[in-house]
Amino acid sequence: MCNRVIGFYTSPNLKEWTHASNFTQPGLPGTQFECPNLVKFSVNRADSEDPTKYVLFISVNPGAPLGGSGTFYVVGTFNGSHFSSETPHETLYDFAKDNYASQWYSGIPEDEPPLSIGWASNWNYTQQVPTGPLEGWRGSMSLPKEHTLTKVDGSWVVTNQAFDDMASVREKPLKGKPSRNGDVTFNFKDVKSNAVSFDVKINGIPSSGATGQVYFNFTSSTSGEYVDGGLRLDTGFFWINRVGTHLFTQANSTGYWPVFNTTVKSFDNGKFTFSGVIDRSLLEVSLAEGIQTGTMSFYPTRPLDTLTVSGSDLSKKTSFRVKAWGLESGW
């Protein structure tokens, strides 16, 4: 029977190892712990008297809160042999199902944010999803991310943002075509990589009585398949949805849920920003400068090549702006 603990070992030479301690905590989910990472963060003095905190990331499979595999973290202190958690409950690393077992880069200077990269799939279905016609393998890695540890509504949160804002692969901005009803459409058929990034900024959200929603839709001009998502301003409900793609569906695996969602607790002075990257068969979204993230794989029969961002039933003072860029191929 698995004890579900994380063991800490010390070594003077990386050859001989001595067991120093174990960590576990009541209520932590999962059947099996794996791929742990202990990461040191510098934190704001306004959030903590201690200028540094340690975050223990634990990946589990099976038994993750959303099914199959998943990752959560706890925040605390580390004295070189023992980790002590300050948080009574774990925090999910991602609100969707396809960000697992992130690994953290070594050798990062302490005055720079930690960096990681994850596996963008889930053990519920990773051995069933289609392979690429040329590559012959399943799944992919997430974007490389940079992170901070900050307090949000009194709780520690690890933020996730694309490393260097993808400056090294970002091409010229795509030209959006606005419509009379306020929709903005970007055609990216000519982007060779079939990968784009986008930013949406919403302004003028009322402090009370907000209405309407701002949402995005990636569509295939040949098959009509789509991936979409968006934000309801009255409830803070944010969703991403892959039900509109048909090469692999929930009928192929009961663990392949079509929709994922989270709740945005508040808007900063009537403003809210979300961004995303779509690349062949993967969508990654970042909310409020990385306070929350969602990673979702999807499998269309034909490439998605059109992005539309829309608003509906917004108050008169509420508006949104959207920018999009093609990305250079990583192949």
Side-chain angles (χ1 to χ4, degrees):
M1 181 177 179
C2 178
N3 290 325
R4 295 193 306 155
V5 299
I6 301 298
F8 288 86
Y9 291 76
T10 61
S11 173
N13 55 17
L14 302 185
K15 293 181 180 180
E16 290 83 24
W17 294 86
T18 301
H19 179 256
S21 66
N22 284 336
F23 169 80
T24 191
Q25 183 169 301
L28 294 179
T31 302
Q32 176 177 291
F33 288 175
E34 58 183 20
C35 303
N37 281 268
L38 184 64
V39 184
K40 183 180 180 180
F41 283 83
S42 297
V43 295
N44 193 309
R45 287 283 189 178
D47 293 333
S48 171
E49 293 181 1
D50 188 342
T52 61
K53 291 290 181 184
Y54 283 83
V55 181
L56 179 60
F57 295 86
I58 303 174
S59 296
V60 297
N61 177 58
L66 297 182
S69 53
T71 301
F72 59 82
Y73 60 87
V74 290
V75 181
T77 59
F78 182 65
N79 65 5
S81 60
H82 292 69
F83 173 78
S84 298
S85 171
E86 297 178 0
T87 48
H89 304 288
E90 77 284 351
T91 301
L92 283 182
Y93 190 50
D94 194 289
F95 71 81
K97 284 188 74 166
D98 294 316
N99 188 355
Y100 184 57
S102 287
Q103 297 302 295
W104 297 73
Y105 288 85
S106 61
I108 305 297
E110 289 200 4
D111 60 347
E112 295 184 12
L115 304 177
S116 76
I117 189 168
W119 178 51
S121 192
N122 190 295
W123 278 111
N124 262 169
Y125 40 76
T126 193
Q127 293 173 310
Q128 300 169 298
V129 299
T131 61
L134 298 178
E135 299 85 9
W137 43 257
R138 295 178 173 93
S140 61
M141 304 304 288
S142 73
L143 291 168
K145 304 281 180 53
E146 58 185 19
H147 309 268
T148 64
L149 179 64
T150 187
K151 275 197 172 178
V152 178
D153 297 328
S155 298
W156 289 112
V157 173
V158 175
T159 66
N160 291 260
Q161 287 282 69
F163 173 66
D164 198 26
D165 202 23
M166 295 176 294
S168 62
V169 295
R170 182 175 280 183
E171 298 179 341
K172 293 180 180 179
L174 298 175
K175 189 173 182 180
K177 183 178 180 180
S179 65
R180 290 184 178 180
N181 64 2
D183 295 355
V184 182
T185 299
F186 300 86
N187 183 319
F188 58 96
K189 294 179 183 178
D190 295 332
V191 176
K192 294 181 180 180
S193 66
N194 197 226
V196 300
S197 66
F198 67 100
D199 291 339
V200 178
K201 295 183 178 181
I202 309 171
N203 295 297
I205 303 172
S207 57
S208 62
T211 61
Q213 58 185 342
V214 176
Y215 51 96
F216 63 91
N217 185 297
F218 284 93
T219 308
S220 169
S221 61
T222 54
S223 69
E225 292 168 283
Y226 66 92
V227 165
D228 65 10
L231 174 68
R232 287 191 55 173
L233 299 182
D234 56 344
T235 62
F237 181 88
F238 191 98
W239 82 94
I240 51 178
N241 167 37
R242 59 189 176 188
V243 73
T245 54
H246 306 317
L247 187 61
F248 190 84
T249 69
Q250 196 170 19
N252 302 110
S253 172
T254 55
Y256 188 78
W257 300 352
V259 183
F260 305 95
N261 62 76
T262 187
T263 300
V264 176
K265 294 183 179 180
S266 62
F267 302 120
D268 183 17
N269 296 318
K271 300 178 181 180
F272 188 77
T273 299
F274 67 88
S275 59
V277 174
I278 196 165
D279 185 359
R280 295 195 181 193
S281 60
L282 186 66
L283 172 69
E284 300 184 61
V285 294
S286 174
L287 314 183
E289 307 297 333
I291 293 296
Q292 297 188 72
T293 54
T295 306
M296 181 180 73
S297 60
F298 60 91
Y299 300 92
T301 62
R302 302 293 297 170
L304 307 184
D305 55 23
T306 306
L307 164 63
T308 301
V309 180
S310 309
S312 64
D313 301 320
L314 301 176
S315 66
K316 292 182 179 180
K317 293 184 178 181
T318 305
S319 62
F320 67 91
R321 294 184 299 167
V322 55
K323 294 181 180 180
W325 300 262
L327 301 176
E328 294 181 13
S329 176
W331 302 83

